[in-house]
Amino acid sequence: MRAYVVRRGLQVIPVTFGVTLLVFAMMLLIPGDPARAILGSYATPENVATLERQLALDRPPHIQYVTWLGNVVTGDFGRSYSLNRPVLDEILERFSATLLLAGTALLITVVLGLTAGIIAAVKQHRWQDRAFTVGALVGLSIPSFWLAMIFIVVFALGLGWFPTSGMRPAFGPSGPLTVLHHLVLPATALALVAAGVIARLTRSSMLEVLRQDYVRTATSKGITRQSVIMRHAFRNAVVNVVPVIGVQVGFLLGGAVYVETVFGWPGIGRMLVTAIGTRDILLVQGGVLLVAITYVLINLAADLVQAALDPRIRLG
Amino acid sequence: MSDVRADAPDTTALLAVRGLRTDFVVEDEVYRAVDGVDLTIGPGESVGLVGESGSGKTVTAMSILQLIPDPPGRIVGGSIEIDGIDLVRAPERVLRQVRGGRIACVFQDPLTSLNPVLQIGDQLTEMMRAHQDLDRRAARRRARELLDAVHIPQAERRLAEYPHELSGGMRQRVMIAMALANDPELLIADEPTTALDVTVQAEILDLLRELRERTGMSLLFITHDFGVVAELCDRVVVMYAGKVVEQAPVEKVFADAAHPYTRRLVDCMPQLGEGRKDLEVIPGLPPALNRIPDGCAFAERCDVAEEACRRGTIALEGYGEDRLVRCIKPGARP
Ligand SMILES: Nc1ncnc2c1ncn2[C@@H]1O[C@H](COP(=O)(O)OP(=O)(O)OP(=O)(O)O)[C@@H](O)[C@H]1O
Ligand code: SF4
Ligand SMILES: [Mg+2]
């Protein structure tokens, strides 16, 4: 396992490198005078001069990149001109809200997707499987921002079960239950499409695995049907599902942009939408970099979990 | 229609299969893979089940433990009794006690038959703990003893290994160890050596013979190979197109096979001293299992067939004192 971890971990380095290049390229693509664009039209000439020096904007692009990378690595993402505070402070604060939302959505995705997929496979050709097929089709064809709006109309405005928007600090006076109350709708809206993807994949892997000889062996041992399905079939089927869960995290982070906007959730997605509107380039850069690196690390984690589950991968 | 045996049910049998019929339905076509099979196995007896590919050997064996995948397969008739319990109609709970407890299986391909993501030790102890009241440590100790019993060196270390880390022969030894875990009364071995190298095949057969002598368990051994039957079995049951066509003590089958199909199979065996010449095969193919003709299913390929062979139903009838043959001209030669 150790060799695999090292090998897979090393792959993260070039990928992360590529991510920083792309994020840096955003700066090069700004039309006109970058320092002025970054600082906005009300910036004083001194401010513009300081920033140009700081970002080496008068130097060739590769020097600019190295300078920028050096700043970023030491935690200096610059200042947000529209919020007048360090970019790092802002993105970390916003990102924790997104993590709460996307993390909850991931939990829903995994639990719902795996459970529905297992049931549909085990009950193939029965009503459970047909209900699943219809449900997955509908779930997969509705974009999450649209689902978010339907949720608001039905469950918040119509039935009044949940608040329409906002978030409360988890450990403030309002307590975790209030936070949960605010989380249910956006997290579910965000999760359903990904859950559909996971459920379909789980179903097909389970159907594949249930045909295998070792499942017959397991049955021939006299263990319960439940053990055959979970310990033998699912344990093998999930090996193929785990990496796709990692990929789905990307969709959850991307979908968070819409869902946070619709639900007024103070996460990094909504921050990015606002920052793009106000052309707060450094804020956009910082936010995108953080999200991209998170995605890379989650996929690393997914691959490591997969290797932990399948000895043929980790032992080579 | 299942054949009604002339003799009374053998009450001393450990396992009695009567009139077993198993169908597969594929795209609305019904394939009768097993068509009225009768088969008894006595305590301590070793029975060889032979026949060409597709004759229904595996389906017969898997039907015994109710391991036929449904869909597409289904047992549509007959009974399978062990101590008065009919496995075809037994509830799941009773089936579970028999599976792996009184009757255990070893399959053809040990690589695909072992779970690739579970350690050998866990697969062994699971088998024991499904049937015996053992704590983890005791089960672990017994697992090690079982690996010793099937001559796997460094048993302790093997327990923590995964199937893909073992050789084919070692894997099949693990399967056998697992099958023996609860001291079964009957071991069903479905071509346990076919997937292995020739040299390893002989070792596995030696092991099975040794274990049978030591434990006194019954054996249902499925194979294409009459030579192996001669070495390992007391009695042979020959299947053709889903039916039993001959049942006899092993030595009689070799001395003079009564059914023309059996005779041809025996002729296909490499003779001692002749080396491994190319095996002669019986020309022609068995009938499609969704279109089994009237009369004898072997008639198209039989070298002594006549008009009467293609009519009605040909029953499995007594021949001599201890044989059963499904042929209107048993013992005929061209
Ligand atoms: N899963 C299945 N789906 C459809 N038909 C099947 C299935 N399993 C078996 N059959 C049918 O049953 C017939 C008998 O198969 P079986 O596996 O019992 O043959 P066999 O005697 O064991 O042959 P072999 O020596 O090749 O193992 C096959 O020819 C096929 O028509
Ligand atoms: S019944 Fe006729 S065709 Fe069939 S095996 Fe006997 S002789 Fe041959
Ligand atoms: Mg077979």
Side-chain angles (χ1 to χ4, degrees):
Chain A
M1 183 81 190
R2 194 177 306 143
Y4 179 84
V5 173
V6 170
R7 192 151 28 96
R8 184 61 186 77
L10 287 177
Q11 286 172 15
V12 167
I13 294 171
V15 174
T16 309
F17 189 70
V19 166
T20 59
L21 268 179
L22 283 177
V23 172
F24 170 74
M26 287 164 59
M27 183 122 60
L28 293 184
L29 296 175
I30 306 166
D33 178 2
R36 192 155 282 286
I38 287 169
L39 293 177
S41 40
Y42 300 109
T44 63
E46 297 83 70
N47 285 347
V48 173
T50 315
L51 187 66
E52 277 180 344
R53 209 176 326 114
Q54 204 184 335
L55 299 181
L57 287 174
D58 49 350
R59 312 285 297 275
H62 61 275
I63 304 285
Q64 288 184 36
Y65 172 70
V66 171
T67 312
W68 174 78
L69 197 62
N71 290 342
V72 164
V73 166
T74 55
D76 179 7
F77 285 74
R79 275 186 89 78
S80 156
Y81 87 87
S82 62
L83 303 168
N84 193 27
R85 71 184 293 210
V87 166
L88 188 64
D89 294 359
E90 176 71 8
I91 57 177
L92 286 182
E93 191 177 308
R94 294 303 198 102
F95 196 58
S96 62
T98 295
L99 277 188
L100 181 63
L101 176 64
T104 310
L106 181 63
L107 194 70
I108 297 173
T109 297
V110 170
V111 172
L112 198 68
L114 294 181
T115 313
I118 293 170
I119 292 173
V122 170
K123 303 282 180 185
Q124 198 194 6
H125 306 307
R126 315 259 177 83
W127 69 264
Q128 292 95 332
D129 187 30
R130 286 196 206 104
F132 165 84
T133 310
V134 174
L137 194 71
V138 174
L140 286 176
S141 52
I142 299 179
S144 45
F145 71 89
W146 204 58
L147 203 62
M149 290 192 280
I150 293 178
F151 273 21
I152 289 184
V153 171
V154 176
F155 297 107
L157 298 176
L159 297 167
W161 291 351
F162 299 101
T164 53
S165 71
M167 173 193 172
R168 298 287 173 277
F171 305 105
S174 48
L177 267 183
T178 320
V179 177
L180 201 64
H181 198 214
H182 282 77
L183 251 178
V184 172
L185 285 189
T188 310
L190 187 54
L192 281 187
V193 176
V197 173
I198 296 303
R200 285 223 298 209
L201 180 68
T202 305
R203 175 178 177 275
S204 61
S205 319
M206 279 295 283
L207 287 177
E208 173 66 31
V209 164
L210 284 169
R211 280 204 298 271
Q212 299 298 314
D213 285 350
Y214 54 77
V215 171
R216 178 179 66 181
T217 305
T219 308
S220 81
K221 291 164 105 172
I223 58 178
T224 60
R225 175 112 178 103
Q226 189 187 331
S227 296
V228 173
I229 290 169
M230 296 311 296
R231 197 171 134 83
H232 291 271
F234 177 67
R235 189 67 178 60
N236 277 277
V238 77
V239 170
N240 301 324
V241 179
V242 165
V244 180
I245 292 176
V247 174
Q248 289 307 305
V249 170
F251 287 95
L252 292 179
L253 290 173
V257 174
Y258 304 111
V259 172
E260 285 174 0
T261 307
V262 175
F263 281 96
W265 188 266
I268 204 153
R270 202 170 61 138
M271 181 206 85
L272 283 174
V273 173
T274 316
I276 290 168
T278 57
R279 308 202 167 281
D280 195 337
I281 306 294
L282 292 181
L283 198 54
V284 175
Q285 260 185 336
V288 169
L289 187 62
L290 189 59
V291 171
I293 287 176
T294 306
Y295 179 67
V296 171
L297 292 179
I298 297 268
N299 278 284
L300 171 67
D303 283 1
L304 294 183
V305 170
Q306 187 193 29
L309 288 172
D310 191 340
R312 286 162 302 180
I313 297 175
R314 70 169 180 269
L315 301 174
Chain B
M1 293 293 288
S2 77
D3 302 290
V4 179
R5 291 264 304 275
D7 49 352
D10 184 358
T11 47
T12 62
L14 169 66
L15 183 84
V17 177
R18 286 183 231 286
L20 177 69
R21 280 180 291 144
T22 305
D23 286 353
F24 286 87
V25 181
V26 180
E27 288 167 4
D28 294 333
E29 284 282 320
V30 179
Y31 296 80
R32 177 140 299 171
V34 172
D35 191 7
V37 162
D38 295 312
L39 181 70
T40 58
I41 301 171
E45 194 186 17
S46 170
V47 176
L49 187 57
V50 297
E52 287 170 304
S53 194
S55 55
K57 307 181 297 291
T58 297
V59 174
T60 301
M62 294 307 113
S63 295
I64 292 174
L65 279 185
Q66 310 295 302
L67 295 173
I68 298 293
D70 173 16
R74 172 156 270 177
I75 295 178
V76 293
S79 65
I80 298 165
E81 282 189 18
I82 180 166
D83 274 350
I85 306 165
D86 180 2
L87 297 178
V88 176
R89 286 153 197 95
E92 176 77 19
R93 187 181 46 80
V94 174
L95 269 182
R96 280 212 309 272
Q97 287 166 1
V98 176
R99 288 175 178 153
R102 307 188 62 179
I103 305 179
C105 287
V106 173
F107 301 99
Q108 181 167 338
D109 186 349
L111 179 60
T112 59
S113 296
L114 286 165
N115 191 324
V117 303
L118 297 181
Q119 291 178 3
I120 303 296
D122 290 339
Q123 302 193 49
L124 283 167
T125 54
E126 178 187 48
M127 178 80 159
M128 289 169 227
R129 298 183 76 194
H131 297 275
Q132 305 171 39
D133 190 18
L134 285 177
D135 64 30
R136 288 187 78 84
R137 294 230 345 259
R140 201 83 183 165
R141 188 166 355 101
R142 173 106 173 93
R144 203 170 48 234
E145 289 165 10
L146 283 167
L147 291 188
D148 287 336
V150 298
H151 311 307
I152 291 183
Q154 296 174 289
E156 181 66 42
R157 213 189 77 204
R158 298 294 182 191
L159 290 177
E161 291 190 341
Y162 293 90
H164 76 274
E165 298 177 80
L166 305 181
S167 69
M170 285 296 162
R171 284 195 280 262
Q172 196 61 296
R173 286 175 195 268
V174 169
M175 281 298 289
I176 293 170
M178 195 159 83
L180 296 179
N182 301 307
D183 301 317
E185 292 157 78
L186 170 65
L187 178 69
I188 299 176
D190 186 357
E191 304 197 41
T193 62
T194 311
L196 306 174
D197 292 342
V198 184
T199 49
V200 181
Q201 290 187 1
E203 290 170 23
I204 296 292
L205 292 175
D206 285 344
L207 175 65
L208 283 173
R209 193 181 306 112
E210 174 199 328
L211 292 170
R212 217 173 72 75
E213 273 161 22
R214 195 160 78 214
T215 65
M217 66 183 171
S218 306
L219 179 66
L220 178 62
F221 192 90
I222 300 176
T223 179
H224 290 262
D225 186 346
F226 258 107
V228 174
V229 171
E231 280 182 55
L232 210 60
C233 302
D234 308 320
R235 197 152 54 87
V236 59
V237 175
V238 183
M239 283 188 76
Y240 187 78
K243 289 194 173 76
V244 173
V245 295
E246 175 155 9
Q247 226 189 84
V250 163
E251 51 309 335
K252 300 215 171 155
V253 166
F254 287 105
D256 78 311
H259 195 282
Y261 175 61
T262 316
R263 165 166 52 77
R264 303 281 289 277
L265 283 181
V266 173
D267 286 347
C268 288
M269 265 177 69
Q271 296 301 305
L272 214 66
E274 279 183 32
R276 297 200 59 86
K277 64 165 188 182
D278 278 349
L279 290 191
E280 195 185 325
V281 289
I282 307 172
L285 290 172
L289 295 177
N290 54 340
R291 307 238 186 300
I292 295 177
D294 272 354
C296 176
F298 188 58
E300 285 303 317
R301 304 165 74 188
C302 181
D303 51 12
V304 292
E306 59 183 55
E307 252 328 283
C309 296
R310 298 174 202 271
R311 284 196 298 267
T313 312
I314 296 168
L316 189 66
E317 288 179 339
Y319 179 72
E321 72 231 46
D322 48 8
R323 301 163 78 166
L324 292 168
V325 183
R326 190 188 299 276
C327 174
I328 57 172
K329 300 165 72 181
R333 310 265 152 180

